[in-house]
Amino acid sequence: MAARSQYEELTRQVSAVGVVKRAIARLLPAECPGGAAAVLALLDRHGDMRLSRLAELLAVDMSVTSRHVAHVVEQGWVERSPDPGDRRSRILRLTPAGREVLDDLKQRATDLLADRLREWPDDDVGQLVTLLTRLRASFGDVRAAQLQPRSSPAAVAGPGAAAAPADDAADGRAASGSTPGSAPEAHRQQRQQQKTKTTTHT
């Protein structure tokens, strides 16, 4: 087992990966913000799904997911169709136009990495891919594991992860954040309300 100091350094380096994710996020066109990119990436990776499943994978609540979906539907990138198993539900499906947008996002991210790592030997790039794959496998599908149905799902997946082929994205998500409707923000508001009640009663 590696020394604790190595894990401490690994923690610092993994945290710094946010720089890469933010760089990828800046490549997103104005009409395709991070939430939209994440929706496209997840539908591409996991296939057709209900809104509730998408919310779990995005790790945000249904209202936030609905806004993201409304945007991509309006753009013609995703279509809703009746769910054969439940007429009250709709199935979300990536359209050909949505795939074109996602392919463009992936190409932008790939070009960026190819440019920044152009002086790396091929073996080093391959080793990086192998090690990052192992790192993700060691944690498993963290979002799916943590997101059992409850009132406030976990933090939002950011755009950079969605834009990159290997998000989770995203997938992200790019860097995760605390947005209205996300669990960290919801918990903060809940604690504040509890403090207010306590102060009022005393």
Side-chain angles (χ1 to χ4, degrees):
M1 184 174 181
R4 183 173 182 81
S5 60
Q6 288 182 286
Y7 290 116
E8 291 174 349
E9 178 60 23
L10 178 59
T11 299
R12 286 190 288 270
Q13 294 301 329
V14 170
S15 297
V17 170
V19 174
V20 179
K21 297 169 77 174
R22 287 190 293 275
I24 295 175
R26 287 193 289 271
L27 298 174
L28 296 176
E31 67 273 15
C32 187
V39 168
L40 299 182
L42 289 172
L43 286 174
D44 179 58
R45 177 173 297 106
H46 298 281
D48 305 349
M49 67 182 75
R50 294 180 180 179
L51 183 68
S52 57
R53 173 58 176 161
L54 180 61
E56 291 178 357
L57 292 171
L58 284 173
V60 296
D61 63 28
M62 290 286 284
S63 62
V64 175
T65 304
S66 294
R67 289 197 295 272
H68 293 330
V69 169
H71 177 75
V72 294
V73 169
E74 182 180 351
Q75 295 292 328
W77 302 336
V78 169
E79 62 182 8
R80 299 185 182 102
S81 60
D83 183 352
D86 185 352
R87 294 184 178 180
R88 297 171 299 178
S89 300
R90 294 291 182 270
I91 296 295
L92 304 175
R93 179 177 295 106
L94 199 60
T95 67
R99 293 189 186 282
E100 289 183 6
V101 171
L102 186 59
D103 288 343
D104 176 61
L105 299 182
K106 291 179 179 180
Q107 187 62 53
R108 293 181 186 217
T110 299
D111 290 345
L112 174 65
L113 291 174
D115 177 66
R116 298 299 175 86
L117 305 183
R118 62 184 179 277
E119 297 182 0
W120 285 39
D122 291 351
D123 287 347
D124 287 357
V125 176
Q127 185 177 17
L128 177 63
V129 172
T130 298
L131 293 176
L132 287 176
T133 301
R134 288 181 61 186
L135 178 63
R136 290 182 59 195
S138 295
F139 282 84
D141 191 346
V142 177
R143 288 181 300 184
Q146 293 180 344
L147 278 173
Q148 299 303 322
R150 54 187 181 185
S151 57
S152 297
V156 64
D167 77 327
D168 226 301
D171 8 133
R173 202 159 145 315
S176 59
S178 179
T179 62
S182 68
E185 178 65 14
H187 293 165
R188 185 191 67 76
Q189 293 177 355
Q190 186 178 23
R191 289 195 299 270
Q192 184 62 39
Q193 292 172 355
Q194 291 174 343
K195 290 180 181 179
T196 301
K197 290 180 181 179
T198 302
T199 303
T200 303
H201 290 159
T202 55

